[in-house]
Amino acid sequence: MKNSYLIALLQVLNAEELQKLQHFLHCEAFNTNWRACQLYDFILQFAPDFEHENLTDEAAFVFIQPDATEKPVIYITKLRSVLLDLVQQFVSIFSINVKQETDTYKVLDFCRQRNVLKVYQHLYKKASKELQQNAIKDVNYYYDQLRLAMSQSSYLSTIDDKKHKDHNFLSTLKSLDAYYIVQKLYFFCHYRNRQRTINVVEELPLETELLHYIEQYGYLDDPIIRLWYNLLCLLRSPRDRELYLKVKTEYFNTGMLLAKGDRSAYHTIIENSAASIFQATALYQELFELYKNKIADADQIAYINGYLQPMFFFNIVFVAINLHEIGWVSQFVTEHHDRLIPDDANSSTAYSLAQTLIELSNKNYSAARAIAFSSSPSTITFKIIRYRCLIKIYYEDYQYTNRQTTATHKQINLKLDSLTYELNNFAVFLADNKKDIPPASLQNNRKFNSFVAKLWGATPKEVVSLENKIDQSNVSDKVWLLEQAKARKER
């Protein structure tokens, strides 16, 4: 029984939902099978994990004690199927963890079918007003608009109102078009963004035709359609700077019309798009503006149940550090000590590496090194980040020691040996894991290693050449490399 579909479904319900389900099963309006109630009462003893060794078909049979000649396993298997159907009905009828609300559109259909036209007209006017006053104009808004138009069309057809000869068909068709357009644009944008992530190019059916239709029939006057339309155009032309700025400005002006989840996704796509428009410091400045805007959102769209994802948290720190926003990022890290996803193994790693970067920016090399070594990254991405952090620490520490007049040759050589050792370790790591690292990331990190190896002892003339190569390359930690090249050149 423990591996059944029924138990799998019950395991995801919380204590309150399990109690509501019990009331549902014991209500004769929904269920008249008393044996199903008994089976549920038996199973409920083993909540919330439902992993106890006594949770078996045989034990359930003894608990219920039915007048049956079938074998316990066969009987309980059949009864379990009945209970599973009832649980699915419960999930379907009652919104889990959501405030119960009346489905206005079902009530409208009921009133129309039963010819309670006075009540219908009252509810229709009320629903129309409430829909227009809705502050959020997401996909659900357009769906509700369509349902309302369809209901009115059926109503006018029922009473055969001569004042409305088309029975609201034209309005219904326009509502259907608007809903279709918004839903289609939504999926096009998310799929285009996904294509960029997995580096796959594929034409989408009716994409071009839909864009032309939107332009031709004036749908760009609708702010939500315009938001998704412009974003899709940007995803189709990712290097169009003017279009990028238009999308960002449009979002900042009207993005609050989108639902919380859609705003978060829209914001993320803009962030991803910035990398195709800006380079080096300009990219970090753009991302820093976007990150701050996302964090400041009234609905906390950057957070998941009040927590930040580790990678997003680290990206914010990394960008702010590269812009030398040390005061801002120190406060940000302190404030988010307990605001990283608790059950994510990467949370502690992201926090430690963020502290590492702060100590490095303050030239506290020993502290930065100790914190970096204390981190235990479990993913390849964070392991790569840790390697680069250590290499930057060893490089800056070596350059600092080399400039000190009191430093001995032994001290300087020890620092250089540590740097060389870490560069070799990183090169081996990249080689060993090349199958699991995206090709572009693998190449950019190998370039980083190569530039650092050449930079530490380069002559002034070689530094100028290296600086130009770094500036023209796609390489990890490009801003830091350029800063180190500039510092070497000035010395």
Side-chain angles (χ1 to χ4, degrees):
M1 183 185 292
K2 286 187 286 188
N3 295 322
S4 66
Y5 296 121
L6 172 63
I7 299 301
L9 195 54
L10 293 178
Q11 283 176 328
V12 300
L13 302 181
N14 60 36
E16 182 183 356
E17 291 159 355
L18 289 170
Q19 187 178 29
K20 286 181 178 179
L21 174 57
Q22 189 174 39
H23 295 324
F24 169 84
L25 294 172
H26 284 265
C27 177
E28 291 187 2
F30 299 110
N31 173 43
T32 57
N33 190 324
W34 178 246
R35 295 301 188 185
C37 295
Q38 286 183 296
L39 177 58
Y40 181 73
D41 292 343
F42 167 77
I43 294 173
L44 198 57
Q45 299 175 100
F46 306 102
D49 55 5
F50 302 98
E51 293 289 345
H52 197 277
E53 60 182 13
N54 291 336
L55 182 56
T56 64
D57 291 340
E58 292 79 5
F61 189 86
V62 172
F63 180 88
I64 295 173
Q65 295 184 346
D67 298 325
T69 58
E70 292 178 301
K71 293 181 179 180
V73 173
I74 295 175
Y75 180 86
I76 295 300
T77 299
K78 291 179 179 178
L79 188 58
R80 195 170 61 234
S81 178
V82 173
L83 181 55
L84 176 60
D85 286 341
L86 287 167
V87 174
Q88 291 172 345
Q89 288 177 34
F90 168 77
V91 173
S92 175
I93 295 172
F94 298 99
S95 299
I96 305 301
N97 286 332
V98 176
K99 182 181 178 182
Q100 302 302 316
E101 295 181 353
T102 302
D103 189 330
T104 302
Y105 306 99
K106 288 184 178 180
V107 179
L108 282 170
D109 287 343
F110 176 85
C111 291
R112 177 178 54 78
Q113 293 167 5
R114 299 295 178 93
N115 210 32
V116 192
L117 302 185
K118 181 178 180 180
V119 178
Y120 172 90
Q121 292 167 353
H122 168 72
L123 287 177
Y124 175 78
K125 291 178 181 178
K126 182 181 177 183
S128 299
K129 183 178 180 181
E130 289 177 350
L131 186 60
Q132 294 309 313
Q133 291 177 341
N134 194 345
I136 301 299
K137 302 292 193 293
D138 59 358
V139 171
N140 292 327
Y141 165 82
Y142 290 90
Y143 179 58
D144 287 344
Q145 195 174 56
L146 171 61
R147 293 176 72 187
L148 196 61
M150 290 174 63
S151 180
Q152 182 68 352
S153 180
S154 297
Y155 165 75
L156 293 174
S157 298
T158 300
I159 65 173
D160 195 20
D161 191 332
K162 304 302 181 184
K163 296 179 181 178
H164 300 84
K165 295 181 180 180
D166 75 339
H167 290 174
N168 209 46
F169 290 147
L170 183 59
S171 177
T172 302
L173 287 172
K174 288 182 177 179
S175 296
L176 176 60
D177 276 356
Y179 171 64
Y180 170 82
I181 288 169
V182 172
Q183 188 73 80
K184 198 82 170 177
L185 287 174
Y186 175 89
F187 283 116
F188 279 158
C189 287
H190 282 75
Y191 190 70
R192 281 282 181 185
N193 186 55
R194 178 61 180 163
Q195 281 185 330
R196 177 170 55 191
T197 304
I198 60 178
N199 198 25
V200 171
V201 178
E202 184 176 336
E203 287 301 315
L204 301 178
L206 297 178
E207 183 184 48
T208 303
E209 291 84 349
L210 180 66
L211 293 175
H212 289 160
Y213 185 81
I214 292 170
E215 297 163 6
Q216 183 177 356
Y217 291 98
Y219 282 99
L220 287 176
D221 292 336
D222 185 304
I224 301 301
I225 291 178
R226 190 165 62 247
L227 275 170
W228 291 111
Y229 169 89
N230 287 335
L231 185 62
L232 179 58
C233 289
L234 176 62
L235 289 166
R236 285 162 56 92
S237 304
R239 299 190 183 280
D240 190 328
R241 182 190 179 97
E242 184 177 342
L243 184 54
Y244 169 85
L245 295 174
K246 180 180 180 180
V247 167
K248 187 180 75 168
T249 302
E250 185 83 25
Y251 172 77
F252 283 176
N253 290 337
T254 59
M256 289 302 293
L257 292 173
L258 297 173
K260 178 181 177 180
D262 289 344
R263 287 210 308 282
S264 178
Y266 200 104
H267 213 294
T268 299
I269 295 175
I270 296 176
E271 293 162 17
N272 295 341
S273 300
S276 301
I277 307 295
F278 304 94
Q279 296 293 323
T281 302
L283 173 60
Y284 294 147
Q285 290 171 339
E286 186 68 19
L287 289 175
F288 191 48
E289 178 191 4
L290 291 170
Y291 289 158
K292 287 194 295 183
N293 178 271
K294 194 171 186 177
I295 293 169
D297 185 276
D299 289 333
Q300 294 197 322
I301 61 173
Y303 300 83
I304 300 174
N305 297 324
Y307 295 102
L308 283 182
Q309 291 183 317
M311 196 69 246
F312 180 65
F313 166 81
F314 182 81
N315 286 342
I316 295 172
V317 173
F318 180 80
V319 165
I321 287 289
N322 276 281
L323 294 174
H324 304 288
E325 296 279 353
I326 309 304
W328 184 92
V329 78
S330 296
Q331 182 179 349
F332 173 78
V333 170
T334 300
E335 290 174 349
H336 286 78
H337 177 69
D338 298 319
R339 296 201 68 182
L340 297 180
I341 298 177
D343 298 329
D344 194 322
N346 291 317
S347 291
S348 60
T349 298
Y351 189 81
S352 294
L353 293 178
Q355 288 182 306
T356 298
L357 291 182
I358 292 173
E359 295 296 345
L360 175 60
S361 66
N362 290 324
K363 313 302 180 187
N364 297 328
Y365 302 122
S366 296
R369 186 164 52 247
I371 297 172
F373 274 121
S374 71
S375 66
S376 302
S378 58
T379 63
I380 286 180
T381 299
F382 275 109
K383 287 178 181 178
I384 288 175
I385 292 171
R386 181 174 178 268
Y387 271 116
R388 290 211 310 265
C389 283
L390 286 169
I391 288 170
K392 290 190 288 186
I393 293 167
Y394 285 129
Y395 178 89
E396 289 194 29
D397 196 11
Y398 166 71
Q399 296 295 345
Y400 174 79
T401 304
N402 201 25
R403 293 195 303 271
Q404 304 306 305
T405 56
T406 57
T408 65
H409 288 295
K410 183 178 180 180
Q411 289 173 321
I412 294 172
N413 288 335
L414 283 173
K415 301 290 185 182
L416 181 57
D417 288 343
S418 296
L419 172 61
T420 305
Y421 179 77
E422 204 61 41
L423 287 168
N424 291 335
N425 281 346
F426 191 30
V428 171
F429 175 84
L430 293 174
D432 289 344
N433 295 276
K434 61 182 179 181
K435 292 183 179 179
D436 300 316
I437 303 173
S441 175
L442 181 65
Q443 184 180 22
N444 291 346
N445 279 288
R446 281 176 168 168
K447 287 181 182 179
F448 169 83
N449 227 30
S450 176
F451 281 131
V452 175
K454 294 174 182 177
L455 195 58
W456 69 263
T459 64
K461 184 177 180 181
E462 290 171 336
V463 170
V464 172
S465 176
L466 279 172
E467 186 179 31
N468 290 332
K469 289 180 180 178
I470 293 169
D471 192 35
Q472 295 170 11
S473 297
N474 289 323
V475 56
S476 301
D477 264 312
K478 184 174 185 176
V479 170
W480 179 84
L481 286 168
L482 288 172
E483 288 179 348
Q484 300 312 311
K486 181 180 179 182
R488 286 278 295 157
K489 189 170 59 176
E490 290 175 350
R491 289 196 296 271

